[in-house]
Amino acid sequence: MTAYLNGEFLPLSAARISPLDRGFLFGDGVYEVIPVYSRHPFRIDEHLRRFQNTLDGIRLPNPHSIEEWRAIILRLIAEGDVKLAEADRLDSGFRRR
């Protein structure tokens, strides 16, 4: 399985979050579930718009555009073992204080 973390695609087993990550320290983050059926994300654009609206609501910057997130998610699905109703956690990750 593949993870996308800090701008890199890497094996899930190699993904590590810094203990200094703001999301880790303060719980800053947004959670959005995108169901995947037969390798097709369900209503991906609606989910990504809601993701952006939620980020805007808590004033957390989005490191990617909706188009970039769509490409990242589609690549993760293509490279992974995602077949039925699995979900992705989208998190903007880092914000400077």
Side-chain angles (χ1 to χ4, degrees):
M1 189 152 266
T2 303
Y4 179 81
L5 183 63
N6 297 326
E8 293 183 59
F9 291 91
L10 57 150
L12 187 58
S13 61
R16 301 287 183 269
I17 298 172
S18 168
L20 300 178
D21 179 87
R22 184 171 174 90
F24 180 74
L25 289 174
F26 300 105
D28 288 350
V30 171
Y31 183 80
E32 180 69 32
V33 174
I34 303 174
V36 177
Y37 303 103
S38 299
R39 295 188 175 273
H40 296 285
F42 182 71
R43 296 185 175 178
I44 188 171
D45 291 331
E46 292 173 41
H47 286 282
L48 291 173
R49 278 193 300 273
R50 182 170 50 229
F51 176 64
Q52 183 61 61
N53 290 338
T54 306
L55 286 170
D56 293 344
I58 64 169
R59 297 182 186 161
L60 195 61
N62 191 340
H64 300 292
S65 68
I66 287 177
E67 295 77 23
E68 290 170 331
W69 276 120
R70 185 183 309 106
I72 291 165
I73 291 165
L74 293 176
R75 179 171 168 185
L76 287 169
I77 292 168
E79 292 184 7
D81 191 22
V82 178
K83 293 183 180 112
L84 177 63
E86 295 195 22
D88 298 313
R89 178 171 187 259
L90 304 180
D91 189 334
S92 74
F94 179 76
R95 175 172 61 174
R96 295 187 191 280
R97 287 199 238 177

